[in-house]
Amino acid sequence: VRALRGMHTQLTVEPLALHPDALPTLVSWYEAEWPSWYGSGRGDAKRDLQAFSNQGSLPIGVVALRDGIVCGAAALKAESIESHKHLSPWAAAGFVNPALRGQGIGLQLLHALEVQAQVLNFPRIYCGTSSAGTLLQRANWRHMERITHEGKALSIYEKAL
């Protein structure tokens, strides 16, 4: 668990398994953020988040809390992008409440996933993103390639642990 102290706030990132009460909020956020997948698509936000409520093996989710209030979440998954099944594990499903973006919460979530991957003895971690490239670069991830995934430009990053 990593904590940052601000004026009167404390941010912690903890295993999602310890916070089942966060699931309804996260389900609504995931459905709003990715409507083509979770709203009308093939995805099931509740099922995915329940799967991320795991400890000790993939998939593993983490949740960011500020003074006990859910701020965001992310997951470490065995697979993410169909064309890149040879790579594992993946930092995925990263989300920070839009009102709280730009405050370092995403970076803390990413770091927590790196720690989880290290605990599970993975030498590397991967991420595919269309929007978080700057965050990954700030966290010292290396850009590997640019692909088109489901009609959308996507960058693949890796980080040696």
Side-chain angles (χ1 to χ4, degrees):
V1 175
R2 229 175 125 91
L4 292 178
R5 297 204 181 274
M7 302 254 302
H8 295 290
T9 64
Q10 180 178 351
L11 180 75
T12 58
V13 178
E14 300 176 356
L16 182 56
L18 302 178
H19 297 280
D21 52 316
L23 291 180
T25 299
L26 293 172
V27 166
S28 68
W29 285 351
Y30 277 40
E31 289 173 349
E33 184 75 5
W34 298 293
S36 64
W37 178 254
Y38 286 126
S40 58
R42 302 181 309 247
D44 182 330
K46 183 177 181 183
R47 187 188 66 226
D48 284 358
L49 286 157
Q50 286 171 334
F52 301 157
S53 299
N54 192 23
Q55 292 191 80
S57 64
L58 299 179
I60 297 174
V62 292
V63 62
L65 303 149
R66 179 171 282 149
D67 295 332
I69 298 168
V70 179
C71 299
L76 187 66
K77 301 171 25 173
E79 295 179 5
S80 181
I81 298 171
E82 189 74 24
S83 62
H84 287 66
K85 286 188 174 188
H86 58 288
L87 304 177
S88 188
W90 291 83
F95 178 85
V96 174
N97 178 336
L100 301 173
R101 291 179 183 167
Q103 300 179 29
I105 297 168
L107 197 58
Q108 293 302 311
L109 287 165
L110 193 57
H111 178 72
L113 295 181
E114 292 171 12
V115 169
Q116 289 291 334
Q118 287 175 318
V119 166
L120 295 172
N121 294 313
F122 286 104
R124 296 188 164 350
I125 186 173
Y126 302 90
C127 185
T129 185
S130 61
S131 60
T134 305
L135 169 67
L136 292 164
Q137 290 166 5
R138 276 198 323 262
N140 298 315
W141 287 58
R142 184 181 73 82
H143 184 264
M144 290 175 59
E145 65 181 299
R146 189 171 204 81
I147 64 168
T148 300
H149 177 68
E150 297 180 356
K152 189 159 107 173
L154 205 62
S155 290
I156 308 276
Y157 289 84
E158 75 169 337
K159 185 168 186 182
L161 300 173

